[in-house]
Amino acid sequence: MKFAIIKERKNPPDRRVVFSPAKLIEAKAKFPKAEFIVESSDIRVFPDETYANKGFEVTEDVTDCDVMIGVKEVPIEALIPNKKYFFFSHTIKKQPYNRKLLQAILEKNIELYDHETIVNDKGFRLIGFGRYAGIVGAYNGFRAWGLKYDAWNLPKAGPLPNQAALIEELKRIELPNMKILLTGSGKVSNGAQEMLDAMRIRSVSVEDYLGNNFNEPVYCKIDVLDYNKRLDGAEVTDVFDFFNHPETYESNFMRFAKVTDYYIAGHFYGDGAPYLYTREDVKSPDFDIKVVADISCDVDGPVATTLRASTIADPIYGYDPATEKEIDFKDDRAITVMAVDNLPCELPQDASEGFGEMFLEHVIPAFFNNDKDGILDRAKITEKGKLTNRFSSLQDYVDGVE
């Protein structure tokens, strides 16, 4: 089995890679029958010579490889027919801008495995960059606060080498007695929490956060049953009641918005769930949030201040509650919003190391153990020029039927 670590060709350039040189050495040691070839790249965070120095072949031509492993979408003209491909295709939610990509994959008889579809038998994702989105998102939110209030001037995350460097920068700033709210319970929110804990910001309970004032910065991490309540008023202790019946709930987020200065949105938002806060909520004099780091970045969705995704080059904008429009983030009327939707790109080295660890644990073994855990079978979107049964619901999307 011959695996190619392919060059990233999407613009803007993405410096991440699925396997670092160190992780590739580990993969080779664990699976000596696997052959790993590296496609030459001038943008990858790990230079070609680093792979070559570790004994891996670096080449411009990977057409003789069986499995192509990348991060972002592969441009249609770069797709090699009759191969297996792993990358984030951004097609499984029927994204219109990638319909032609999926059509081309079918036409070229490519087996597509999307990183998002690599799940266990319970449907939980096994690999992803979520933790790194949380790490960078929390950092960027503090950077936005400093710029809004001229309190400090943190450098952008991208030029810094790793998470440790981000933490060192954050340790230099002196926070006011602010209340920080973090939503979520998965990899994204855990990554953000790592940063808050590294800054030695005290974690407090929901009750203390809502009811007390503090002489120091504090944070509170909350999950869906903290910011949603049953419409019938019934007490709920089972989170699956919410997941299975979101229509029977309403948001209870405003009690947090009244006392929060900086909000980090690190939750997963499911279809049919109540919005955390609406544009009408933001108009309320009780809404006190000043800076929002929306890592989840669902545009015009559950976090009403997120009007659009921002960019690494220009990550911050202002939201005017009165007009519901974008304004300068330094304006006194503005709620400052950081809503970059590709945050892990700013931490390419750490993100690549972590991603490769998960890929090596869950995916590579499946090629050598007859896929005994069904990893590949569940993840496969296309096969022999057709959608697999698991993803047959994408047929209307492929056919261009709205």
Side-chain angles (χ1 to χ4, degrees):
M1 185 67 70
K2 209 168 185 179
F3 298 89
I5 312 305
I6 61 175
K7 175 180 179 176
E8 296 299 319
R9 291 174 165 85
K10 188 174 181 184
N11 276 314
D14 192 320
R15 301 179 67 214
R16 293 174 295 172
V17 63
V18 172
F19 280 120
S20 68
K23 198 53 64 175
L24 216 48
I25 288 174
E26 193 178 323
K28 184 64 180 171
K30 283 187 176 179
F31 301 98
K33 290 183 180 178
E35 189 175 350
F36 294 98
I37 309 297
V38 179
E39 186 176 12
S40 180
S41 169
D42 55 355
I43 60 163
R44 194 179 286 134
V45 66
F46 304 102
D48 286 352
E49 55 266 29
T50 314
Y51 289 94
N53 292 341
K54 300 292 186 184
F56 294 102
E57 180 186 345
V58 179
T59 178
E60 301 281 350
D61 184 4
V62 293
T63 53
D64 63 338
C65 294
D66 307 297
V67 183
M68 311 291 167
I69 303 174
V71 178
K72 288 289 191 69
E73 298 102 312
V74 176
I76 290 170
E77 64 275 11
L79 289 168
I80 305 170
N82 308 313
K83 304 294 183 182
K84 302 178 195 291
Y85 271 89
F86 285 82
F87 58 85
F88 286 108
S89 70
H90 299 293
T91 58
I92 60 173
K93 294 179 182 176
K94 303 184 179 183
Q95 293 94 322
Y97 59 91
N98 275 337
R99 178 184 282 117
K100 288 181 179 177
L101 173 62
L102 187 53
Q103 290 170 339
I105 285 166
L106 291 165
E107 288 166 12
K108 292 173 185 279
N109 191 35
I110 286 168
E111 276 187 28
L112 172 64
Y113 301 81
D114 192 303
H115 295 309
E116 284 193 59
T117 65
I118 299 167
V119 297
N120 65 15
D121 57 4
K122 293 182 172 60
F124 291 108
R125 283 182 62 181
L126 293 172
I127 61 175
F129 288 107
R131 176 187 169 217
Y132 304 95
I135 289 167
V136 179
Y139 176 90
N140 281 2
F142 282 115
R143 181 173 179 269
W145 183 288
L147 292 172
K148 179 175 176 66
Y149 295 109
D150 295 319
W152 51 76
N153 196 353
L154 289 169
K156 282 193 169 187
L160 298 174
N162 50 34
Q163 180 188 14
L166 301 187
I167 290 169
E168 283 307 305
E169 292 291 343
L170 289 174
K171 282 182 173 177
R172 293 193 183 105
I173 65 178
E174 190 168 335
L175 296 178
N177 295 343
M178 65 197 304
K179 282 187 171 181
I180 303 165
L181 185 70
L182 171 60
T183 49
S185 59
K187 291 182 174 66
V188 173
S189 64
N190 290 344
Q193 186 176 14
E194 283 181 41
M195 303 302 277
L196 301 177
D197 290 341
M199 295 171 73
R200 303 200 172 163
I201 300 171
R202 182 152 70 97
S203 170
V204 298
S205 68
V206 169
E207 292 72 24
D208 283 348
Y209 188 86
L210 293 174
N212 295 330
N213 294 317
F214 300 90
N215 295 319
E216 60 181 321
V218 298
Y219 81 87
C220 183
K221 186 180 182 185
I222 62 174
D223 202 5
V224 289
L225 294 184
D226 296 310
Y227 57 84
N228 290 289
K229 62 182 180 180
R230 287 268 307 213
L231 287 163
D232 60 10
E235 188 174 341
V236 184
T237 56
D238 182 3
V239 72
F240 288 100
D241 183 66
F242 174 80
F243 294 147
N244 294 330
H245 306 286
E247 72 283 354
T248 64
Y249 284 77
E250 64 181 344
S251 173
N252 196 19
F253 186 87
M254 277 300 287
R255 62 188 184 136
F256 293 98
K258 289 178 182 179
V259 297
T260 295
D261 299 296
Y262 168 30
Y263 169 43
I264 306 171
H267 57 272
F268 170 78
Y269 177 75
D271 290 341
Y275 281 7
L276 279 81
Y277 59 85
T278 66
R279 294 184 182 185
E280 286 306 309
D281 290 332
V282 184
K283 289 181 169 72
S284 166
D286 286 337
F287 192 93
D288 204 40
I289 297 172
K290 300 164 186 69
V291 172
V292 177
D294 189 357
I295 305 169
S296 300
C297 195
D298 294 303
V299 174
D300 198 22
V303 175
T305 42
T306 301
L307 295 173
R308 60 174 175 87
S310 54
T311 64
I312 290 172
D314 190 13
I316 308 167
Y317 59 87
Y319 175 86
D320 180 7
T323 64
E324 303 177 6
K325 296 283 196 291
E326 184 176 327
I327 57 173
D328 188 287
F329 72 87
K330 282 180 148 310
D331 192 299
D332 289 342
R333 298 167 294 169
I335 295 167
T336 298
V337 177
M338 189 293 305
V340 175
D341 63 357
N342 58 342
L343 288 162
C345 294
E346 295 197 75
L347 205 64
Q349 183 173 313
D350 283 7
S352 299
E353 291 281 8
F355 196 88
E357 190 169 320
M358 293 179 278
F359 202 88
L360 178 55
E361 178 184 352
H362 297 293
V363 181
I364 299 297
F367 283 99
F368 299 94
N369 65 15
N370 202 28
D371 194 25
K372 68 180 179 68
D373 298 316
I375 299 291
L376 299 177
D377 185 58
R378 284 190 294 272
K380 190 189 301 178
I381 296 176
T382 61
E383 184 178 33
K384 296 178 180 175
K386 295 182 179 180
L387 293 166
T388 59
N389 287 337
R390 188 178 177 89
F391 294 96
S392 59
S393 61
L394 295 175
Q395 191 62 56
D396 61 344
Y397 167 63
V398 170
D399 294 339
V401 178
E402 296 300 332

